[in-house]
Amino acid sequence: MQVKCLKRLRSITLEGERNRSCLEAAGAVEFLVSIIKTYNSTLLLETESNEGPEFLKASDEALSILYHIKVSESCLKSIISNDYEFVESLVQILRNGSYQSRAYATMLLKDIFEVADPIHLISLTPDFFTEIVHALRDQISQQASKAALKLLVELCPWGRNRIKAVEGGAVFVLIELLLESSDKRASELAMVVLDQLCGCAEGRAEFLNHGAGLAMVSKKIFRVSHVVSGRAVRILSSICRFSATSRVLQEMMQVGVVAKLCLVLQLDSSYKTKEKAREMLKLHSRVWRNHSCIPSHLLSSYPSS
């Protein structure tokens, strides 16, 4: 019965937006959600059971259809408010599902939490963040990676969520993504999240534990977009204000951070970005000013104390 219904729903979703919009009123979303929720219990079935694989196949199909329906914001809001078990099922799919199902689960979670109330945003478990970070790490697809980044952007303004994301390995994964990615939008989103995470002590510590963190952020300034440059300077400002040990200040000179900050003052940057660069250079002028690592044509831009 489920298989026949799923086949019919699949054909309807392929017939056009008008038919898809009617599915919510007909209870199709609730039907699909109920099938996906069987995923958790299905994993507990014995491996030799004939029902297990069929349930998993039906869940994957229901997940695909639900994503392609493009559920309305009001329906998504109802799901997160009244049926949190569905969210837990999506997290389980992120942990154990196929690459395609994990991609759909990531994108659905992004859509759900974009319309969720703050109470749902701040009550997420550490496991939730761990699985989102793993989806980002595995680079399932460009679309899924951007969805994971947008989800983190939505969740990480809250302090407790930042710590959960850091503990889930987000900082390391974001730095690696920024080192490898040539996609402008993905780089912007990743830098926004990294900036949010460096707003907490745990995030800054993880950032500095990565050997390429400071060099990567400095290199991205003026290389991608104004958004990336601005966020990169904000990250460096957080490090300079709260984590500026002698070793960190020396590394910032050696990898070119200080020279890049001088360049920010010379080139076309926003007022806020220039001010942050100026503040950093003034704050640590005793260590940095007149250092041999700064080229002479940039040293002229070094602000007076």
Side-chain angles (χ1 to χ4, degrees), residues 28 30 85 90 274:
E30 290 83 354
E85 185 184 343
L90 292 180
K274 284 190 175 183

Side-chain angles (χ1 to χ4, degrees), residues 4 6 8 39 45 50 91 96 104 115 132 138 177 219 232 274 278 288 290 303-304:
K4 288 183 179 179
L6 288 171
R8 178 55 184 154
Y39 189 92
L45 294 175
N50 292 327
V91 174
N96 298 305
Y104 288 140
V115 301
I132 292 298
D138 293 345
L177 186 152
K219 186 177 180 180
K274 284 190 175 183
R278 186 175 286 108
W288 290 342
N290 299 321
S304 56

Side-chain angles (χ1 to χ4, degrees), residues 108-127:
L108 278 170
L109 285 168
K110 187 269 294 183
D111 291 343
I112 289 170
F113 282 99
E114 280 182 343
V115 301
D117 293 328
I119 187 62
H120 296 115
L121 299 179
I122 63 176
S123 58
L124 294 165
T125 65
D127 280 349

Side-chain angles (χ1 to χ4, degrees), residues 24-292:
E24 287 181 25
V29 171
E30 290 83 354
F31 172 69
L32 294 168
V33 166
S34 69
I35 294 176
I36 295 168
K37 283 163 56 179
T38 65
Y39 189 92
N40 286 328
S41 57
T42 301
L43 290 175
L44 301 177
L45 294 175
E46 295 293 335
T47 55
E48 63 268 16
S49 169
N50 292 327
E51 294 184 358
E54 289 303 316
F55 273 125
L56 292 175
K57 186 176 180 181
S59 176
D60 287 347
E61 179 70 4
L63 185 62
S64 172
I65 294 170
L66 186 59
Y67 171 73
H68 286 100
I69 286 175
K70 301 300 180 187
V71 180
S72 67
E73 288 188 6
S74 60
C75 188
L76 289 171
K77 199 173 183 69
S78 176
I79 291 173
I80 186 72
S81 298
N82 303 316
D83 195 358
Y84 197 79
E85 185 184 343
F86 175 64
V87 172
E88 294 174 344
S89 296
L90 292 180
V91 174
Q92 189 69 264
I93 290 169
L94 283 178
R95 183 179 296 114
N96 298 305
S98 66
Y99 262 41
Q100 186 176 55
S101 292
R102 291 174 71 200
Y104 288 140
T106 303
M107 292 183 283
L108 278 170
L109 285 168
K110 187 269 294 183
D111 291 343
I112 289 170
F113 282 99
E114 280 182 343
V115 301
D117 293 328
I119 187 62
H120 296 115
L121 299 179
I122 63 176
S123 58
L124 294 165
T125 65
D127 280 349
F128 180 96
F129 287 91
T130 297
E131 297 309 325
I132 292 298
V133 170
H134 286 174
L136 184 60
R137 176 201 64 193
D138 293 345
Q139 295 291 288
I140 300 168
S141 69
Q142 280 194 337
Q143 195 175 8
S145 293
K146 288 180 183 177
L149 288 168
K150 288 177 182 178
L151 182 53
L152 290 172
V153 168
E154 196 71 33
L155 298 176
C156 288
W158 279 268
R160 283 184 293 178
N161 285 349
R162 291 178 185 177
I163 295 172
K164 292 172 188 175
V166 171
E167 291 175 345
V171 172
F172 186 91
V173 170
L174 289 166
I175 292 173
E176 292 297 311
L177 186 152
L178 283 162
L179 285 168
E180 299 171 4
S181 177
S182 58
D183 183 282
K184 175 183 174 182
R185 183 56 179 156
S187 295
E188 289 177 343
L189 290 168
M191 196 68 83
V192 169
V193 180
L194 191 58
D195 175 28
Q196 292 173 332
L197 299 185
C198 284
C200 67
E202 295 83 353
R204 291 189 295 274
E206 285 300 301
F207 176 81
L208 292 172
N209 280 339
H210 193 295
L214 285 169
M216 178 278 298
V217 167
S218 175
K219 186 177 180 180
K220 291 293 181 180
I221 298 174
F222 298 129
R223 293 285 187 93
V224 183
S225 69
H226 287 299
V227 171
V228 168
S229 295
R231 291 289 179 161
V233 171
R234 281 172 56 95
I235 291 169
L236 295 173
S237 177
S238 293
I239 298 299
C240 282
R241 290 173 62 198
F242 303 112
S243 306
T245 64
S246 176
R247 180 189 66 79
V248 169
L249 294 178
Q250 290 294 324
E251 183 180 351
M252 292 179 85
M253 283 190 296
Q254 292 167 1
V255 301
V257 171
V258 181
K260 187 61 71 75
L261 292 176
C262 290
L263 190 62
V264 167
L265 298 182
Q266 286 188 356
L267 300 182
D268 182 26
S269 303
S270 71
Y271 174 78
K272 286 186 177 181
T273 298
K274 284 190 175 183
E275 281 302 296
K276 284 194 175 295
R278 186 175 286 108
E279 288 171 6
M280 283 184 273
L281 291 169
K282 285 184 176 181
L283 183 63
H284 299 295
S285 61
R286 186 177 61 84
V287 178
W288 290 342
R289 190 174 178 84
N290 299 321
H291 198 278
S292 59

